[in-house]
Each structure stands twice: as C-alpha cells, then as structure tokens.
Amino acid sequence: MNTAEKIIRDPVHDVIAFRISQPIDGLLFRLLNAAEIQRLRRIRQLGLASLAYPGADHSRYSHSVGVMETARRVFNQLRKFYKIDPVQEMVCVVASLLHDLGHGPFSHVFERVSGIHHERLTHRVIGDPESDVHRLLAEHDRALPGLVLKFMQKQPRSFLTDIVSSQLDADRFDYLLRDNLMTGSHYGGFDLRWLIHALVIDEGTSRLAISYKGVSAAEAYLQSRFHMYRNVYFHKVVRSAEGMVKLALQRAKRLAVQKRLDWPPGDNPVYKALLGQRLTMEEFTDLDDVSILHCFKLWAKSQDSVLAGLCRGLLFRQVFKTIDLTHVHYEQESSALVAAAEEAVTAAGGEPGYELFYDEPADTPYETFSPDNNAASDIYVKLPSGELTSIVNLSPITQALNRDLMFRRIHVAAEYRDVVMKAIGKK
C-alpha cells in the first residue's frame, strides 16, 4: 500500500499534508507544481505593504495554498454530519487553490492600468489547453476543467460556492490571518478552529451557515476584517505607494503609446500587458512582480523625469506625503480642496496629474443583503430550534459594521506638501 505523504509547513495552518495515494490529494499536489501556480510565488499578496509593514512580503502562492487547506478543513468538519458528493468536493477544493491564478503584478493596481481583469484571466488559464493547470486537470478527468470553470461562475449557488466566495469563505479566513501574522499588526486575529467547527449546511436552502454557538466567533472574524482594512489595507503609506505604482504604470503606458518608452521592447510581456494585448501562456507566466520591479529600476534612470521620479520614490521609499481630509464631511468641499491643491502644485511648477492624487478607499466590513444589493450575502445562523436567521438579528456588532469604512486623502510629492497645505488652509 502506497502511504507516501508530502508535507508543507505553513506559518498559519502549520502542517498541510497530502497523501499522494488519495486521488484528490495527488491532484492538488501536482497542481502546486504547475508553472501558472508557481508564478504566484513571485507576486506578493500585499503589493508594497512592506513599505509600512516590513514583514509583509508573503506571496499569493502561500495564500492560495492556505485557502485550499482552509477549504479542506471546512469539508472535514461538514463531512461529519452531511453526505457530500466527492466530485463536488474535489471541484470546490481545486477552485479554492486556483482562485487567484489570474492576478497580475501588484494585483489590482496593474489590473486597473492594463484593463486585464484577473478573474477573466483565471478562467482563461484553466480553459487554455496550453496551460499546465488545464493539462493536469484534464489528465485527472477530461471534464474537470469545465466543471471548475462552471463552479467559479457560481453556477449554481450553494454551500459549495459559499466556501470559496461569500462573506464567510475560505479566502477571507486565510488572508485575514495570514496578513495579520505577516504584518505583525495584531489586528486581524480570530478563532478559525472554532468558526470552522460551528459551520453547518442549511439543507432547506443548501447554503452555508453557522450554529448559534458560533456567533461570537463570527463577530470576532468580522471585527478583524474591519481592523485589517482600517489599519493595514488602507494604511496611508500603503495607499500612497499603490497610487504611485498606478501613476508610474500609467506614465509608462502613455510613453509606450507614443513610442517613447525605451524599455521594455514591444515583444516583452510587460509592454504587451501595459497596452492590454493578449498574452500567450508562456508570456503570462513570465509576468510578475519581478518583471515590473526590473522595469522600475531601469525607468528610475529614464530621460522622462516624471517616470524616473515615481520609480525612484518606489524603490527607495520616498512615497508621497498624505493630507487627511477624512473629517471634511461634504463631498463638494473635498472636491474644492482637491482643486485648490492641484492649482497650488501647478503654480509651484509641478505636474498635478503625476505628483498628486486624491484617494478615497472604502469598504463595508459586513454588508447585509437587500433587494438593491444582490452582491451581498448574509451570514446565516441556525438556531437551536432549527430556524434560520440572519446574524444581524442576533448581533448588534454586525449592525454597527454595516456601514462604509472610508478615508479621504490627498497624496502629494514631498516637495509640494507645504504649498498644498497652505492652499487648502491646513497647518
């Protein structure tokens, strides 16, 4: 009997084991070595958050492995009480591993500049016969690539899709704990073991829910999400760096369109991606943080002073200064202050389009379902009576979290900070 076992030691989940003789485990372990998944080692989960939190250099690969393991542990719990189709379980766990495949360098920032949407690219990788991922799935079962794609499109919605994408999913469970650990922030901790133990399936709706005993664990999880957004994801240095990456890529794209970008050449994956051109699987696999950072190093010596300045700032942590407008209550007044700031930078000889930007990050820590908000899905609680109810009816904390967490900030190059402060009447 083949009892071969492969082990991954993970800082969040500790031992992640694969029994190679088991069909699902064998497939998952083979997928880990696919070129498209190994590429995720070279894409940082939190972009340039290490400029604020030096330990935050973990990758999307480690997160993807963590989401997979979290999904497996959810199934281990649910299987104690419910009969679950093994094929559906396999599709769900595979999807949890592959959910971030299409992310580009610096993730959402690069996506906004290039126009290449990560979810569509994920679907393309799974469906493309030229990809390692597709080949491995098809070798296991010819129908598997199609089943995974259908599942990722949430067809149909069930407790299985809830495990991968909902307000109580394996993705959020892992990234909150992982980002909390790697940043050292101590804001995002919650009791994952108890929360998984409390998960149940409501057989009437076939949706994921929690038992009544899990309400406190769910509250802690939602509060951790609030604190991580407030203190890590929306940190002023993190947002300033992300904005500068966007400006640098936009400037490079503009120069490329004008045929004035010295590097990279037109057949380079970075060049093609900047212009939104279709990439081969080999080119896609080569597109990562390393390739963009290499460009930043070369662009830092560019004859274009705007691009050079942005790249030097990113390479040597000379990020834009932040002026907080969060407590300016009226949107119209914020707009007037931003306009005054732009005029001040122009008068001082700067380029407000590249040396200043306004940022308004927002997130709703717990978004309750309503007929007008079909994107939201409640966290449901199974009462001892068997009745199903929204957690909102049991937890005042969720009601407090059902509102936007928002910041309003001007980020400006350091040399123009004082003139902007004077222009908008701040001292």
Side-chain angles (χ1 to χ4, degrees):
M1 179 179 175
N2 182 6
T3 58
E5 189 176 51
K6 300 293 185 181
I7 301 291
I8 292 175
R9 292 302 298 266
D10 181 71
V12 176
H13 304 294
D14 196 10
V15 173
I16 300 177
F18 301 85
R19 294 188 63 186
I20 303 303
S21 61
Q22 300 296 318
I24 295 181
D25 281 18
L27 171 62
L28 291 170
F29 194 76
R30 290 192 298 275
L31 283 170
L32 288 179
N33 293 304
E36 297 84 18
I37 293 183
Q38 287 295 311
R39 166 185 170 273
L40 297 177
R41 290 183 182 274
R42 304 187 301 276
I43 296 182
R44 285 182 287 189
Q45 173 74 6
L46 293 181
L48 288 174
S50 60
L51 295 181
Y53 297 95
D57 278 327
H58 55 300
S59 69
R60 284 201 175 269
Y61 174 84
S62 63
H63 167 60
S64 296
V65 174
V67 178
M68 175 209 69
E69 177 62 13
T70 304
R72 293 167 80 196
R73 294 184 182 186
V74 169
F75 277 110
N76 288 341
Q77 171 64 24
L78 296 178
R79 215 183 297 110
K80 296 175 183 176
F81 306 99
Y82 308 95
K83 185 176 180 180
I84 297 174
D85 183 276
V87 174
Q88 291 182 329
E89 177 179 343
M90 176 177 62
V91 169
C92 181
V93 176
V94 167
S96 70
L97 174 62
L98 304 181
H99 78 288
D100 268 354
L101 265 187
H103 273 289
F106 302 102
S107 298
H108 301 289
V109 177
F110 192 87
E111 183 175 303
R112 286 192 289 269
V113 175
S114 67
I116 301 175
H117 197 276
H118 75 273
E119 289 186 354
R120 289 198 294 269
L121 196 45
T122 296
H123 296 166
R124 185 192 155 197
V125 173
I126 295 169
D128 192 328
E130 298 298 317
S131 74
D132 280 2
V133 164
H134 180 96
R135 176 179 55 79
L136 290 167
L137 293 175
E139 284 177 357
H140 186 86
D141 182 337
R142 289 179 60 185
L144 192 51
L147 291 174
V148 174
L149 284 173
K150 183 178 181 181
F151 178 87
M152 285 186 162
Q153 294 160 1
K154 304 182 181 69
Q155 300 175 4
R157 190 90 209 187
S158 69
F159 77 92
L160 295 160
T161 55
D162 287 343
I163 290 171
V164 177
S165 179
S166 67
Q167 292 203 75
L168 199 67
D169 62 34
D171 182 23
R172 295 187 184 189
F173 289 168
D174 183 81
Y175 77 63
L176 289 174
L177 291 176
R178 191 170 302 277
D179 297 348
N180 173 63
L181 176 66
M182 303 310 289
T183 57
S185 61
H186 302 293
Y187 294 119
F190 61 94
D191 192 346
L192 178 62
R193 290 180 65 183
W194 184 255
L195 195 51
I196 289 177
H197 183 78
L199 290 175
V200 297
I201 300 172
D202 178 60
E203 296 179 273
T205 61
S206 188
R207 300 297 295 274
L208 201 63
I210 57 172
S211 67
Y212 181 73
K213 292 182 178 180
V215 170
S216 293
E219 288 177 330
Y221 153 73
L222 293 172
Q223 289 180 83
S224 76
R225 190 169 186 272
F226 167 80
H227 287 300
M228 287 298 288
Y229 271 88
R230 183 178 186 180
N231 296 290
V232 176
Y233 308 137
F234 292 166
H235 190 288
K236 64 180 183 179
V237 172
V238 175
R239 296 295 298 187
S240 187
E242 288 178 355
M244 290 176 68
V245 169
K246 182 180 178 182
L247 291 174
L249 293 173
Q250 285 176 334
R251 185 69 173 190
K253 180 177 181 178
R254 178 179 177 182
L255 294 173
V257 170
Q258 297 171 350
K259 308 295 183 184
R260 294 196 297 123
L261 188 64
D262 294 335
W263 176 268
D267 60 352
N268 185 284
V270 173
Y271 188 97
K272 295 178 71 173
L274 275 176
L275 298 183
Q277 298 175 7
R278 185 178 178 86
L279 303 176
T280 66
M281 275 299 109
E282 183 178 1
E283 290 169 335
F284 164 74
T285 306
D286 193 42
L287 186 65
D288 52 34
D289 286 2
V290 177
S291 55
I292 297 296
L293 286 169
H294 178 63
C295 289
F296 286 171
K297 290 174 72 175
L298 296 175
W299 293 342
K301 301 173 184 177
S302 171
Q303 292 183 351
D304 184 86
S305 60
V306 172
L307 180 60
L310 287 165
C311 292
R312 283 196 300 270
L314 290 166
L315 291 172
F316 300 107
R317 203 187 179 276
Q318 297 166 358
V319 297
F320 286 2
K321 299 299 182 181
T322 302
I323 301 171
D324 197 340
L325 303 180
T326 302
H327 301 294
V328 175
H329 297 292
Y330 299 103
E331 184 177 339
Q332 186 175 3
E333 187 174 347
S334 295
S335 300
L337 293 176
V338 173
E342 291 173 342
E343 290 176 7
V345 170
T346 301
E351 288 197 48
Y354 289 104
E355 293 175 295
L356 177 148
F357 66 91
Y358 176 68
D359 187 37
E360 195 174 284
D363 179 75
T364 305
Y366 182 71
E367 199 168 2
T368 55
F369 175 81
S370 71
D372 299 325
N373 185 15
N374 293 323
S377 59
D378 272 347
I379 293 175
Y380 287 101
V381 180
K382 199 74 172 277
L383 299 175
S385 64
E387 180 185 355
L388 197 68
T389 187
S390 169
I391 194 173
V392 174
N393 298 325
L394 302 173
S395 170
I397 291 175
T398 56
Q399 297 174 38
L401 293 175
N402 185 33
R403 64 182 67 185
D404 278 346
L405 168 67
M406 179 183 292
F407 292 94
R408 297 185 178 94
R409 296 165 174 154
I410 292 174
H411 299 271
V412 61
E415 57 264 41
Y416 302 115
R417 180 180 183 273
D418 290 343
V419 296
V420 168
M421 292 281 281
K422 182 177 180 180
I424 66 175
K426 279 187 167 267
K427 297 182 180 179

